Amino acid sequence: MQLKVLALPGDGIGTEVTAEGIRVLRHVAKKFKHDLVLTEGLLGGIAIHKTGSPYPAETERLALEADATVMGAFGLPEFDNAPPAMRPEKGLLGIRKTLGVYANLRPVKAYDALIDSSPLKNHLLKGVDMIIVRELTGGLYYGTPRGITGVGDEERGTNTMTYTRMEIARITRMAFHLARKRRKKVTSVDKSNVLETSQLWRKVVLEIAPEFPDVQLDHLLVDNAAMQLVLKPSQFDILVMENMFGDILSDEGSVITGSIGMLPSASIGAQLPSGAWVGLYEPVHGSAPDIAGKGIANPLALIMSGVMMLRHLHEDTAADKIKNAYNAVLE
Ligand code: IPM
Ligand code: MG
């Protein structure tokens, strides 16, 4: 069969880890006699340099044509003082939003081989195996009004956290469906003691739960969730939360496993009019400009993002092969 994959290496270590991931995919494609058609596109800082835009229209076109898109990392220090609309990260947020991939799955799993690299005591890592399901196309990242207005003491920065019932319901159903294939436990994270968006979030989650009577549901406030993640991470199976909470807690989750360089992710949920599913596969880590170009970046998160891609394309045998090699490398 033919697999059309778009690679968007991006900035910093993004190019290095993407190159390694592509080597692995090419090798597996050859082994399984798949016709891997690989295209490379521009997104992020490199796209600003070459086209003036962090998310060129051509990149969107290529992503819509591909069976899947593998992405590296985005962000460069030279843009640190640029306004949000002119930053490399805008490219990443743009492609997530226009493709409509509202569900970002971030699996956090402890491996014996890395147990001593974790900042947590060894015994806490036993049985750690969760997926952080992060809502990806709503909330503070996209809400309006936003911006900086006024001058002097009245200069004001504004962002808006907003969610509709539809946005909460679809990510909740995604979380419950995933839980059904695992330990059948969903923990919904919110801040319903303070935020109206969180009150609606909890209400909608509670309304949907009876559709999945075989799955156990509980709720945690986000501050408590941050604490529970280091206190007893093995208690979690599926965690579901809004965009920014998911951004923050997934960095915390990643380092529990020993290195932020270990966490892959899959951004899914969107279907094209043709019926095809759209998927973006990217590591959770950033562009790490401080170590870029030194050949020391850990490519495993990207390689495992490739494994998540193969599973979503129902190429489980190929995915298993890479997974076995990955385990051997870690050992
Ligand atoms: C992530 C990253 C991005 C995000 C940045 C680079 C915009 O931190 O994927 O977690 O905040 O979503
Ligand atoms: Mg992040």
Side-chain angles (χ1 to χ4, degrees), residues 74 89 92-93 96 106 134 136 141 243 247 250-251 282-284:
F74 307 93
E89 290 87 346
L92 181 57
L93 304 189
R96 288 171 176 169
R106 301 190 154 184
R134 169 187 176 190
L136 200 62
Y141 277 55
N243 202 345
D247 179 45
S250 60
D251 266 32
E282 55 173 313
V284 166

Side-chain angles (χ1 to χ4, degrees), residues 149-324:
T149 53
V151 286
D153 284 349
E154 291 309 310
E155 192 172 11
R156 181 188 301 272
T158 303
N159 290 96
T160 302
M161 189 191 280
T162 171
Y163 272 102
T164 63
R165 167 178 291 275
M166 179 277 288
E167 288 175 306
I168 302 167
R170 65 186 181 182
I171 191 78
T172 300
R173 288 200 176 91
M174 177 77 79
F176 274 100
H177 279 296
L178 283 168
R180 268 198 170 149
K181 293 188 218 138
R182 297 169 45 95
R183 301 201 308 279
K184 298 192 166 51
K185 193 181 160 198
V186 170
T187 304
S188 171
V189 174
D190 63 42
K191 188 70 184 174
S192 60
N193 52 345
V194 179
L195 303 176
E196 283 80 0
T197 40
S198 281
Q199 285 172 350
L200 180 66
W201 181 281
R202 196 175 280 215
K203 184 168 113 182
V204 174
V205 170
L206 280 167
E207 281 170 15
I208 286 176
E211 294 172 22
F212 302 85
D214 51 325
V215 178
Q216 182 200 331
L217 168 70
D218 55 20
H219 306 270
L220 275 186
L221 297 175
V222 63
D223 47 352
N224 188 15
M227 183 177 72
Q228 295 295 332
L229 267 175
V230 288
L231 210 55
K232 197 178 175 232
S234 61
Q235 68 185 290
F236 297 119
D237 180 14
I238 299 285
L239 284 152
V240 61
M241 64 200 77
E242 69 88 32
N243 202 345
M244 182 135 196
F245 296 166
D247 179 45
I248 296 170
L249 292 190
S250 60
D251 266 32
E252 189 187 358
S254 70
V255 83
I256 290 171
T257 69
S259 157
I260 192 173
M262 297 299 294
L263 236 68
S265 89
S267 304
I268 57 170
Q271 206 171 8
L272 298 177
S274 68
W277 291 92
V278 183
L280 299 177
Y281 302 88
E282 55 173 313
V284 166
H285 64 69
S287 57
D290 52 327
I291 60 162
K294 297 188 178 159
I296 59 170
N298 179 357
L300 290 175
L302 194 128
I303 292 170
M304 283 304 283
S305 300
V307 168
M308 291 184 89
M309 175 190 92
L310 290 169
R311 294 210 191 281
H312 282 282
L313 296 171
H314 305 293
E315 292 293 326
D316 282 301
T317 326
D320 289 342
K321 284 269 187 234
I322 302 177
K323 189 67 211 300
N324 291 343

